[in-house]
Amino acid sequence: YFSKLNADGGVHGRKIKLLLKDDGYEPARTAVETHSLIEQDKVFALIGYVGTPTSRAAMPIALAARVPYLFAFTGAEFLRMPVRKWVFNVRASYYDETEKIVERLTKDLGIRKIAILMQDDSFGETVKGGLAGALYGRDLHIQAEARIKRNSLDVAGAVQELKNAQPDAIVFVGTYMQLAAAVKQARTIGLKTRFLTVSFIGTENFISEAGADADGVYITQVVPSPHNTSLPLIQSYLADIAPADIGYGSLEGYIDAWVFSEALRKAGPEPS
């Protein structure tokens, strides 16, 4: 989106420069890179950070520097409540997503035995909080819980824990490679259950990693289908994005860039 915008002259005659940093999904590296972006690169705004624990590390730095923290790729509640002057979100929250997961499981399928396989950090805790709240509102509770370490593919023990509980559904909280490993492990040990996860997973990456084992996994989404050409937004997106990059994650980034650009336009030629 920014490439197209810049080719058309930018916003009020100014081009947008997008700087990319890789924090490896590790909060300590996030903090270092955030300080670098603000203090050395003198960025106007921080946009599209990936993850809950990483955002938890970056947000206080952005707030202290009075730099806008925009549209993080996470539905974490601390980015929404309490409302903070410099923090803005586009996507729905994990509370919204888990509410829909529980609604569909209980209302459509009559399922009541729901477990969680979660990343052992603030991301896992946030989604767990949303899941527990959605279940509590229906006089239910999380039947069983197992945890995995961030960036670890050692999921066998956790999956075995959940097999012993025999849940009818497992809500997964983690990354796509971990979910692929968990689903494969479940198949190996004969755990027959539904896996569900929130939009953070990276749908296309998960399908590619899991292969046939991805069949039957349910993923909530916070943006429209990137293939729904009845929407003008998707028509523009497909015209601007390379075919290999089409997917839910890139569509969310495209929407974020669009919203940011519209805000810049409305702020006038000399945004503060």
Side-chain angles (χ1 to χ4, degrees), residues 106-127:
T106 56
K107 186 176 179 181
D108 296 350
L109 301 177
I111 285 177
R112 301 178 67 82
K113 295 169 63 177
I114 301 171
I116 187 169
L117 174 58
M118 58 182 280
Q119 192 166 285
D120 191 13
D121 62 8
S122 56
F123 175 31
E125 292 293 349
T126 297
V127 179

Side-chain angles (χ1 to χ4, degrees), residues 156-173:
V159 174
Q160 183 62 52
E161 280 184 56
L162 294 184
K163 183 186 179 184
N164 297 337
Q166 289 297 306
D168 295 320
I170 295 173
V171 175
F172 175 85
V173 192

Side-chain angles (χ1 to χ4, degrees), residues 206-225:
F206 167 66
I207 292 171
S208 177
E209 183 72 23
D213 290 320
D215 193 32
V217 175
Y218 295 80
I219 304 172
T220 50
Q221 301 295 352
V222 296
V223 297
S225 167

